[in-house]
Amino acid sequence: MEFAEHQNGFTLSRNGAVLLRHDKNFPMIFIGKGHETMDMYRGNFSIEDYVTERRPLELTDIEKDGAAWVCSFGCEIQARIVLAGDNAEIFFESGNPGINRFWLRVPAEQNETCYGCGEQMSYFNLRGRHFPLWTSEPGVGRDKTTYVTWRSDVENKAGGDYYHTNYPQPTFVSSRRYYLDADCTAYADFDFRNDDFHELQFWAVPARIRIEAADTMVSLLEKLTAFFGRQPELPEWVHDGAILGVQGGTDRAFRLVDRSVRNGILVSGVWCQDWAGKRETSFGRRLQWDWHWNEKMYPGLPEKIREYREKGIRFLVYNNPFLVNDGDLYREAKAKGYFATAEDGGDYLVDFGEFYCGVIDLTNPDAYEWYKQCIIREIIDFGAEGWMADFGEYLPTDMKLHSGISPMLEHNRWPALWAKCNYDAMEAAGTVGKVFFFMRAGATGSQRWCPLLWAGDQSVDFSRHDGLGTTVTAALSAGMSGCGLSHSDIGGYTSLFDNTRTKELFLRWAEMAVFTPVMRTHEGNRPDTNFQFYDDGETMEQFADMTRIHVLLKPYIKDLVAENSRIGLPAQRPLFLHYEDEPDAWTIQTEYLFGRDLLVAPVLEAGREDWRVWLPGDDWVFLWTGGQFGKGSHRVPAKIGRAPVFFRAASPYRDLFLTVKNQYGY
Amino acid sequence: MEFAEHQNGFTLSRNGAVLLRHDKNFPMIFIGKGHETMDMYRGNFSIEDYVTERRPLELTDIEKDGAAWVCSFGCEIQARIVLAGDNAEIFFESGNPGINRFWLRVPAEQNETCYGCGEQMSYFNLRGRHFPLWTSEPGVGRDKTTYVTWRSDVENKAGGDYYHTNYPQPTFVSSRRYYLDADCTAYADFDFRNDDFHELQFWAVPARIRIEAADTMVSLLEKLTAFFGRQPELPEWVHDGAILGVQGGTDRAFRLVDRSVRNGILVSGVWCQDWAGKRETSFGRRLQWDWHWNEKMYPGLPEKIREYREKGIRFLVYNNPFLVNDGDLYREAKAKGYFATAEDGGDYLVDFGEFYCGVIDLTNPDAYEWYKQCIIREIIDFGAEGWMADFGEYLPTDMKLHSGISPMLEHNRWPALWAKCNYDAMEAAGTVGKVFFFMRAGATGSQRWCPLLWAGDQSVDFSRHDGLGTTVTAALSAGMSGCGLSHSDIGGYTSLFDNTRTKELFLRWAEMAVFTPVMRTHEGNRPDTNFQFYDDGETMEQFADMTRIHVLLKPYIKDLVAENSRIGLPAQRPLFLHYEDEPDAWTIQTEYLFGRDLLVAPVLEAGREDWRVWLPGDDWVFLWTGGQFGKGSHRVPAKIGRAPVFFRAASPYRDLFLTVKNQYGY
């Protein structure tokens, strides 16, 4: 990185490429004032901003201070620029406490592409749109032109839009081979709509901006993950089959496992989200948010856990950072004063849809420690070896927190704090790499604390903005944000307004999940009216085959997981990571490389018997026939149960892939 | 008005009430820069603004210059304040050509109410919302929670919202007994959401702001209309019955008139919107936009016009400022170069929904004169005594106009220019007060040039934001903007997505129309699938009664129309105009005074047999029974055909109203 002062300003560049710049005609910083209106309804936020002032800053002085350059913008903002090799950190200090809006302009090029901003569900390449960054429900439908979205908006304010995500992060990666990260948990909005600059908005003066560059995208990701920290490896047992999401009490859950095993399905785990009990709501059956074993619903569970563990089938549960106000843990936390409160110190219950919960105040070290111990005691020591650590997006902005920090600043940090609490429990119990948890919510920090993402609550369909395809976008963008392990509910989750899961959707989803780090089913929010894998023998048989292929690939998948841990290369990779020279590789979001050697082009539409794929320049072998393909666009068969997948002819895993072909090809 | 300078700024006040103010803590002006994105699809605009700068101005100098105070805000803005009795005019000059955003803050009080902004369809009291002011299609549904709105948005970008209107105007009236008018045709947005100020946004520095105050609302309206000019009186014959909107050629149109007359309907006019011909589109049958007699469709029309005129039935037609590119007038205008062009001087055709039209360049004096002569020749001299002068909202913002003025500034002025062209034709033909035209589009200037508004294209339903009730809001807000004569399509117009007009809706609409200046039917956009007054004998009979009541009231209505011409008091009046002391009178938008002595509370819901009305403090007589009522809320019968109407016991028209009661009461 080089810093150069000139007549009207300065540039920060690397090998001649300008990464940051200020001059009279290109002000780097705008500051201003705004009043926001925030309204939360069950995790969906209605946010309006009234900006009363906004103005560009003028550079008034540059001073060298040791290794740093100190750029003064009047007495309003001081930017301290520290260079170290390929990275630059800019520390901001504000001399005007009235400032609560801050815009940073970053030079852009017209054909530049950008990625990241956490986990984005609709658009992998961020260019041409802006992305408000505020963790929330992702929306049901997420597309104002669809009926499901409209109904969700009208009935639950829940339709959402392309940018809504459980995991936003103020970090992006540019095709210009740099990443930019902001140390700022305030509401932000990254705007990639302009030809010659990106404009990053923050509702606070960010403490620090970091720009780090590299020569290749692979090395850039290595640096990015070195900075954020890398995900721990998953327990090896997760690769031994699918995790079955079943529920309904001891009898029903284990009976379904037995039936699955009898039908040849390889089962690595049984996940009972309702281990703590159930309650009925109009959205469907919901869980009892009181995160300990419900003995009435799951009699004899400890024995069952031991019994099935011996057969190689682990037990998984569910928790989240909220406690329902008629539960045991709520009573305990309430007595200890561990809940965040209303601004006046009174009780604050969050509406989760016909039931009400307290928010464990994770900024209170005692509350944090207590909840961590709850996780150890009730989950890990109980014998569960995995759990969905749900939510993290709902911190209301009008609470009082123990730390005294405004919830407007804690809201976007909460998912990481929640991840850390679960990680710390795992670590304190000495079980890192043996047990694991998975989250949909995320934030800066999730990289080191959350072993596995899941792509959230897709609708049970193929829809462009809320269906199967969004799990690919999610995995790719999370990967570019440093979270390289992702998976999804096979068959999707949300079934509303007569939108129900078909058998075809389940099978298409499952065949793709074979080529993700973890296979896991979910019965969805309305199990009775949606297709389930156990609904017919044919599906059980097909699903059994898929679990067998997944397990066959274990050596390869295990290596990918290890590589993600070691150097931060995600398991599911955008094509450009290994094919930087190919312009098309930078914009495709419907295909991915599963590791270096498999190219996966999932079927994302109903009623298809073939599928069009685009292959980058390499020698490719169609996994199911051994047919050879080169660079370009090809139409290939899309037999149910066999996702369009190619392996690199030169792969060191060639024999493994040929085994798959020989056993499961057609 | 008094101007007072003080330490940090100044105030403009009247009898101690501060109407305008500037000081350090309350900057009067903010200026800035923005880049807008405008996208028009068939009169529906998608508008986005990217404000890059906005800052409050500091007052740097006040100088007295003769009768004016000159306030300087740095070298950016000079405000020259000229007082004259109860009004103040502030002329702005900008020293910075880069400024294209301007915000004016006007002091507000918490319980203040505001009205006007042209013709608003959803909200009469503007307080608590902001109102973008940009003439456009008003939207179909206008309520994002309704199915019709959603479908309209998805299929035609046409759903609209509460603030969309054909007639926006940068003028409002405050309950603090003043009006404020801005001389600025740029895009504007008047924001009444703040407790202690209104913020008026303009996409240009306004040339002038005018504030005029009065002691009462009646005298305020008199002053406002003196300033804008007042509407001419309507021809007397319009009060002799209903104008029947029929179509389909000579035979069908006049056969329907004959049937109506036979059934006792009093007919003042027959309005054939398709006199120039028809074309088929998926929206329904549309007109041939070539504004002269279509001899093929209307054979023998001149004779029919003469024949029916002798029976007291006048003929009315339709025009608008666009010409379809396969028409005769288009060819003539094209040859003369009278169309506005693309920015490069090439042809510019506007998409009106499966057909394409040129825009007569009304800023070209030759084109204006030619089109005026067309109106005289093809309409007035032809024998028509009235016409719907439709549209005016569609001026695209990327055209080149003869005047050289940006269409961004002409767009909001276009409806007034179009009204003036029609008015000038009427005047040049010596027919003011003998013939008339009616418009839905409006702008500052419509007051003096447009004899009658109609409330636009309501959906054929009772819906809150696009149904029957919006015609009341429309009339009241237009009245407070200086246009005191309004009417509507009886039964509504727009029928889409299986939303069709019922008999009940038609009758409820008609019974209200009795108590408006003009009764006129419309078959709607899909005549065949919607209820029509001629569909059954019972309706003809009921409608006949209603026309008779309307004609019985002619002496009263004629006086109202004259009063509007004379002193600017609208025919349909908000309750507060005559009951200023009653707080409730300031917020009711579902009732109106029809003149000083009738209170009309139209039934705005389906399936009602009674209706709740609120009466201000006076002695009221229920028109249909003679029952006496005083101030307060009452439940009254709501018999079909007899809108809930009361007359003042002390009215000088008491005998007339009693005649109505005696002949049509129950």
Side-chain angles (χ1 to χ4, degrees), chain B residues 495-553:
Chain B
S495 165
L496 287 175
F497 315 121
D498 302 323
N499 187 28
T500 52
R501 182 198 284 169
T502 61
K503 177 171 167 175
E504 180 191 17
L505 179 75
F506 176 85
L507 290 169
R508 287 300 191 198
W509 209 302
E511 72 185 31
M512 178 197 74
V514 169
F515 303 93
T516 65
V518 174
M519 292 182 79
R520 179 182 51 78
T521 65
H522 196 310
E523 292 181 327
N525 65 315
R526 292 190 169 157
D528 300 341
T529 51
N530 281 271
F531 183 82
Q532 306 295 349
F533 72 90
Y534 47 75
D535 277 356
D536 66 50
E538 185 191 49
T539 305
M540 299 275 265
E541 200 174 302
Q542 285 176 304
F543 190 53
D545 262 9
M546 296 188 225
T547 60
R548 289 193 199 105
I549 299 168
H550 186 67
V551 172
L552 251 184
L553 289 170

Side-chain angles (χ1 to χ4, degrees), chain A residues 50 52 54 144 150 199, chain B residues 50 52 54 144 150 199:
Chain A
Y50 172 33
T52 56
R54 173 183 157 129
K144 299 307 182 196
W150 174 67
E199 188 170 277
Chain B
Y50 171 33
T52 56
R54 174 182 157 132
K144 300 307 184 199
W150 173 66
E199 188 170 275

Side-chain angles (χ1 to χ4, degrees), chain A residues 311-448:
Chain A
K311 303 179 190 175
I313 297 174
R314 317 290 169 129
F315 192 69
L316 299 89
V317 298
Y318 173 104
N319 72 347
N320 72 39
F322 306 102
L323 293 173
V324 69
N325 64 349
D326 58 8
D328 301 328
L329 292 179
Y330 179 91
R331 264 189 300 280
E332 191 178 340
K334 178 86 174 73
K336 292 179 193 287
Y338 287 165
F339 288 116
T341 68
E343 278 158 353
D344 65 2
D347 285 358
Y348 193 123
L349 291 173
V350 179
D351 171 7
F352 279 91
E354 301 164 36
F355 62 96
Y356 298 87
C357 297
V359 181
I360 296 293
D361 188 345
L362 298 174
T363 72
N364 174 349
D366 293 340
Y368 183 97
E369 179 61 24
W370 174 78
Y371 209 48
K372 187 185 99 182
Q373 292 300 336
C374 285
I375 296 170
I376 296 174
R377 185 179 72 236
E378 306 294 344
I379 295 180
I380 302 174
D381 290 351
F382 180 70
E385 291 175 74
W387 65 97
M388 174 184 275
D390 203 3
F391 287 93
E393 310 88 349
Y394 281 52
L395 185 74
T397 55
D398 55 351
M399 297 194 105
K400 196 169 91 180
L401 296 171
H402 181 270
S403 65
I405 295 174
S406 163
M408 281 296 294
L409 296 174
E410 280 295 338
H411 177 86
N412 267 354
R413 198 167 79 93
W414 212 250
L417 207 50
W418 171 229
K420 185 172 189 298
C421 185
N422 283 279
Y423 182 88
D424 287 352
M426 200 163 72
E427 194 179 45
T431 55
V432 174
K434 294 178 188 157
V435 308
F436 77 113
F437 61 92
F438 46 102
M439 287 183 65
R440 61 172 199 177
T444 307
S446 289
Q447 292 85 355
R448 76 190 78 175

Side-chain angles (χ1 to χ4, degrees), chain A residues 51-321:
Chain A
V51 174
T52 56
E53 291 185 38
R54 173 183 157 129
R55 58 201 152 80
L57 291 185
E58 279 175 40
L59 181 67
T60 49
D61 189 40
I62 302 184
E63 258 184 300
K64 186 115 195 340
D65 177 16
W69 279 265
V70 180
C71 303
S72 296
F73 297 85
C75 52
E76 312 256 33
I77 294 285
Q78 205 181 65
R80 188 181 177 84
I81 303 179
V82 181
L83 308 187
D86 283 330
N87 80 59
E89 294 196 310
I90 301 106
F91 299 91
F92 296 103
E93 265 180 50
S94 166
N96 178 347
I99 295 172
N100 63 5
R101 296 292 180 275
F102 184 97
W103 295 264
L104 180 79
R105 283 196 178 174
V106 180
E109 287 174 4
Q110 209 171 345
N111 59 358
E112 178 182 353
T113 47
C114 297
Y115 311 94
C117 279
E119 182 190 47
Q120 293 293 332
M121 321 303 286
S122 282
Y123 297 103
F124 178 45
N125 176 11
L126 308 171
R127 211 67 197 287
R129 290 181 182 80
H130 73 115
F131 293 83
L133 301 174
W134 184 253
T135 183
S136 72
E137 283 286 346
V140 177
R142 311 179 71 256
D143 174 350
K144 299 307 182 196
T145 70
T146 68
Y147 179 75
V148 164
T149 307
W150 174 67
R151 280 287 297 273
S152 296
D153 273 337
V154 170
E155 299 190 13
N156 308 306
K157 302 183 183 181
D161 215 330
Y162 70 89
Y163 55 82
H164 287 109
T165 173
N166 307 102
Y167 172 16
Q169 184 177 317
T171 310
F172 72 90
V173 173
S174 162
S175 60
R176 299 179 65 212
R177 315 301 194 270
Y178 74 85
Y179 73 82
L180 183 151
D181 171 63
D183 180 6
C184 183
T185 57
Y187 178 94
D189 189 346
F190 281 21
D191 188 346
F192 300 95
R193 285 178 293 190
N194 295 285
D195 278 350
D196 55 343
F197 58 86
H198 312 309
E199 188 170 277
L200 317 181
Q201 181 188 169
F202 304 93
W203 287 5
V205 176
R208 188 260 306 138
I209 295 286
R210 179 185 170 97
I211 297 178
E212 184 162 24
D215 293 329
T216 67
M217 296 303 280
V218 165
S219 108
L220 187 62
L221 264 190
E222 190 169 354
K223 289 178 174 182
L224 180 148
T225 50
F227 177 64
F228 288 123
R230 296 192 182 114
Q231 290 175 291
E233 286 188 48
L234 294 171
E236 205 186 309
W237 58 261
V238 301
H239 307 303
D240 291 331
I243 295 167
L244 300 184
V246 291
Q247 54 190 332
T250 312
D251 276 2
R252 180 177 184 274
F254 289 94
R255 199 168 59 235
L256 283 170
V257 173
D258 292 346
R259 252 174 73 192
S260 302
V261 171
R262 271 202 312 276
N263 278 275
I265 294 169
L266 301 182
V267 181
S268 61
V270 48
W271 171 51
C272 295
Q273 60 165 5
D274 62 348
W275 72 301
K278 284 257 173 177
R279 63 194 310 141
E280 290 288 335
T281 77
S282 64
F283 181 77
R285 266 171 277 160
R286 299 286 297 270
L287 307 179
Q288 173 66 8
W289 292 27
D290 184 26
W291 312 121
H292 63 87
W293 172 36
N294 185 313
E295 205 171 339
K296 213 166 143 194
M297 189 158 173
Y298 279 91
L301 184 56
E303 296 71 32
K304 283 284 179 190
I305 292 177
R306 274 194 295 279
E307 178 191 334
Y308 280 79
R309 195 178 194 287
E310 275 165 30
K311 303 179 190 175
I313 297 174
R314 317 290 169 129
F315 192 69
L316 299 89
V317 298
Y318 173 104
N319 72 347
N320 72 39

Side-chain angles (χ1 to χ4, degrees), chain B residues 401-420:
Chain B
L401 296 171
H402 180 269
S403 65
I405 295 174
S406 162
M408 282 296 295
L409 296 175
E410 280 295 337
H411 176 87
N412 267 354
R413 198 167 79 94
W414 212 250
L417 207 50
W418 171 228
K420 186 171 188 300

